[in-house]
Amino acid sequence: MSEKRSSFTGKIGFVLAAAGSAVGLGNIWRFPYLAAKYGGGIFLLVYLILAVTFGFSLMVAEIAIGRKTGQSAIGAFKSLDKRFSFIGVICAVIPIMILPYYSVIGGWVMKYMVGFVTGNAANMANDAYFGSYIGKTFEPVVWFALFIGITALIVLFGVQKGVETVSKFMMPVLVVLTVFIAVYTICTMDGAMDGVIYYLKPDFSHFSIMTVVAAMGQLFYSMSLAMGIMITFGSYTKKDISIEASTRQIEWFDTGVAFLAGLMIIPAVFSFSGGDHAALKQGPGLMFVTLPKVFDKMPGGSFIGALFFVMVLLAALTSSISLMETIVSFLMDNLKLGRKRSCFAVLVFSLLLGLPSCFGYSIWSEVTVLGMQLLDFFDFASNSVLMPIVAFVTCILVGYILKPKAVIEEVEISGPFKSKRLFYVMIRYVAPVCILAILLSSVLNAFGIIKI
Ligand code: PHE
């Protein structure tokens, strides 16, 4: 127990570890392809509004619940109110669903990193390269297994300090590289400016309910919310750390990295496609198809590309570690399994569950669930269904059963809570209503009952 409940190395340690979990493929890979697909500027605007209101309030609530109870999700919900124990269980299921397909993408990143490091950059800039790579039966499975294997090894040997240290140097390098690549693209490539406009200028004609559904799912995913991770982080946090200030920092940093990633990728897509909007709808492959082409044009591009993919890999690992750590501690706490056995069980299970996501692009490409590719389906089920459910129930618990005061008091232990009003209104009124509306529309849409 004492090993698991150790605190972070002070305030900066907590922010770094939480940021390490938050900043990952969600920011660099997922945010740009969603922004491209769901309307550029309008998606960005909706996302920003949600982040500073919903995202903020939910993160404060989760960290406070964790710190107040000193437990991870299952125990925390149970000790607050027995009737809410089930939500702790859903919290456990979400990372189990995400980790396998997250690792499949992590495997793609590894493949590209090794490609750049071994001088294969020109080849990867080829239009057909990505499609033919993920269409292979075995190779993506090998990289996926390697990624999840490395994650398991790190989790097995105990991690917190390592994640803090890696985050400390990886984050600044990642930000500098992203800014550099974005500036290079915008200043040197024809047509890139149109992409900047598409990305920054809200065009309300692109707005639909799906813009909000996608932005909200992305918010949960990117900030590692609505699955109990921040509750666990909160349980490690000391009482003198300001929950409000830390949340603001994590939130701005996470959103900043996502914003920059969009700025790095979307203008480049415009430039290479000559402004053809069909190129914006590529989905999960967007980053992997676009960036190697940018690096191919850039002087010193294979070096920059190698460095970039190394940083993305580290960002992905610090996130996958937090995903796996959550599942492992659930098993340790609830099934009383040791760390070794828990890690092994999670590893085997993730390998099995990840295979369909890999094969969905190759031998099982015909298989779809609700009209979605297998990887997209796992992504949808966790981000657009389960996470909104957890977020909704958390709002009800905090807003009506415990009352917002319980969280506010916890936050105020370490100083005044400046956004107390905002928090109160969000958690009690705005967030539950909006989340419910969005949950319903995304589910009804998936089942073809309504068309949005
Ligand atoms: N937030 C991470 C990212 O943006 C993904 C993640 C989700 C990590 C949930 C942990 C928990 O990549």
Side-chain angles (χ1 to χ4, degrees):
M1 262 335 244
S2 61
E3 177 207 358
K4 279 180 27 249
R5 286 284 161 261
S6 63
S7 303
F8 293 105
T9 48
K11 176 173 158 46
I12 188 75
F14 164 61
V15 173
L16 278 172
S21 165
V23 174
L25 295 175
N27 309 60
I28 304 157
W29 156 77
R30 201 171 186 273
F31 183 87
Y33 90 67
L34 291 179
K37 184 168 166 190
Y38 291 105
I42 189 71
F43 180 87
L44 185 63
L45 182 68
V46 171
Y47 185 84
L48 287 177
I49 294 173
L50 291 178
V52 295
T53 54
F54 273 43
F56 168 77
S57 305
L58 209 60
M59 191 180 275
V60 165
E62 291 197 11
I63 298 175
I65 288 179
R67 193 170 74 175
K68 195 176 161 69
T69 57
Q71 301 188 42
S72 50
I74 290 193
F77 281 109
K78 199 159 146 198
S79 77
L80 290 173
D81 190 316
K82 278 237 154 53
R83 291 167 299 172
F84 284 76
S85 306
F86 74 96
I87 214 65
V89 179
I90 305 189
C91 278
V93 172
I94 297 174
I96 294 177
M97 281 183 74
I98 295 184
L99 180 63
Y101 84 80
Y102 198 86
S103 303
V104 172
I105 317 286
W108 296 355
V109 172
M110 270 185 124
K111 161 80 185 173
Y112 272 68
M113 183 205 82
V114 170
F116 270 95
V117 171
T118 54
N120 200 13
N123 211 351
M124 291 190 298
N126 202 315
D127 256 335
Y129 184 87
F130 178 73
S132 80
Y133 166 66
I134 58 168
K136 290 184 187 161
T137 314
F138 291 111
E139 201 185 337
V141 175
V142 173
W143 290 109
F144 149 64
L146 208 58
F147 182 90
I148 188 102
I150 293 175
T151 306
L153 274 180
I154 302 174
V155 172
L156 182 63
F157 290 114
V159 278
Q160 279 180 25
K161 294 285 167 324
V163 170
E164 286 178 30
T165 319
V166 168
S167 295
K168 212 180 296 183
F169 90 90
M170 173 262 290
M171 300 279 182
V173 179
L174 185 64
V175 169
V176 170
L177 273 177
T178 315
V179 171
F180 176 78
I181 298 164
V183 170
Y184 174 84
T185 309
I186 296 166
C187 295
T188 66
M189 284 167 48
D190 288 342
M193 215 46 214
D194 293 334
V196 176
I197 295 170
Y198 176 80
Y199 182 49
L200 296 184
K201 193 166 157 227
D203 176 348
F204 289 84
S205 69
H206 288 148
F207 181 84
S208 81
I209 292 285
M210 270 325 273
T211 313
V212 190
V213 172
M216 186 175 278
Q218 171 62 15
L219 179 73
F220 296 144
Y221 187 89
S222 182
M223 294 189 20
S224 303
L225 291 174
M227 68 181 80
I229 289 199
M230 288 297 157
I231 298 185
T232 311
F233 276 127
S235 73
Y236 294 131
T237 309
K238 297 197 186 113
K239 292 282 184 196
D240 59 347
I241 285 175
S242 164
I243 295 183
E244 182 175 26
S246 310
T247 300
R248 284 283 180 220
Q249 281 168 7
I250 298 163
E251 172 190 36
W252 280 112
F253 194 72
D254 186 68
T255 308
V257 174
F259 172 77
L260 289 173
L263 203 56
M264 163 178 79
I265 291 175
I266 295 178
V269 176
F270 263 76
S271 172
F272 290 121
S273 69
D276 175 7
H277 279 221
L280 294 168
K281 312 268 177 203
Q282 285 177 49
L286 193 68
M287 163 180 131
F288 296 92
V289 174
T290 310
L291 285 182
K293 289 200 254 180
V294 176
F295 295 134
D296 193 42
K297 290 204 144 187
M298 193 185 266
S302 31
F303 174 71
I304 305 275
L307 194 59
F308 176 78
F309 276 103
V310 171
M311 292 304 130
V312 177
L313 179 65
L314 291 178
L317 278 171
T318 54
S319 299
S320 65
I321 289 166
S322 80
L323 280 163
M324 192 182 263
E325 176 72 24
T326 314
I327 312 171
V328 165
S329 49
F330 275 123
L331 295 182
M332 290 170 62
D333 289 354
N334 296 288
L335 301 185
K336 305 277 171 273
L337 284 181
R339 181 169 275 272
K340 251 195 210 144
R341 285 196 176 176
S342 307
C343 280
F344 188 69
V346 177
L347 176 64
V348 172
F349 190 77
S350 304
L351 278 170
L352 291 177
L353 209 61
L355 284 181
S357 294
C358 271
F359 290 153
Y361 290 100
S362 54
I363 44 176
W364 291 356
S365 61
E366 303 294 306
V367 183
T368 55
V369 184
L370 299 175
M372 286 174 249
Q373 280 269 5
L374 292 169
L375 191 147
D376 290 337
F377 171 74
F378 287 120
D379 192 69
F380 168 81
S382 48
N383 295 288
S384 303
V385 182
L386 294 179
M387 283 149 111
I389 293 178
V390 173
F392 175 74
V393 179
T394 309
C395 291
I396 299 299
L397 175 68
V398 174
Y400 295 92
I401 314 283
L402 300 174
K403 302 282 170 4
K405 217 171 131 241
V407 164
I408 292 171
E409 278 169 9
E410 181 64 36
V411 175
E412 284 179 338
I413 293 178
S414 47
F417 186 0
K418 290 190 225 125
S419 310
K420 186 156 60 177
R421 275 260 159 76
L422 170 79
F423 173 78
Y424 187 93
V425 175
M426 274 294 143
I427 213 82
R428 216 170 134 86
Y429 304 111
V430 184
V433 174
C434 295
I435 294 172
L436 200 60
I438 281 166
L439 179 63
L440 281 179
S441 31
S442 70
V443 172
L444 294 179
N445 184 52
F447 282 97
I449 299 171
I450 57 170
K451 189 91 205 89
I452 53 178

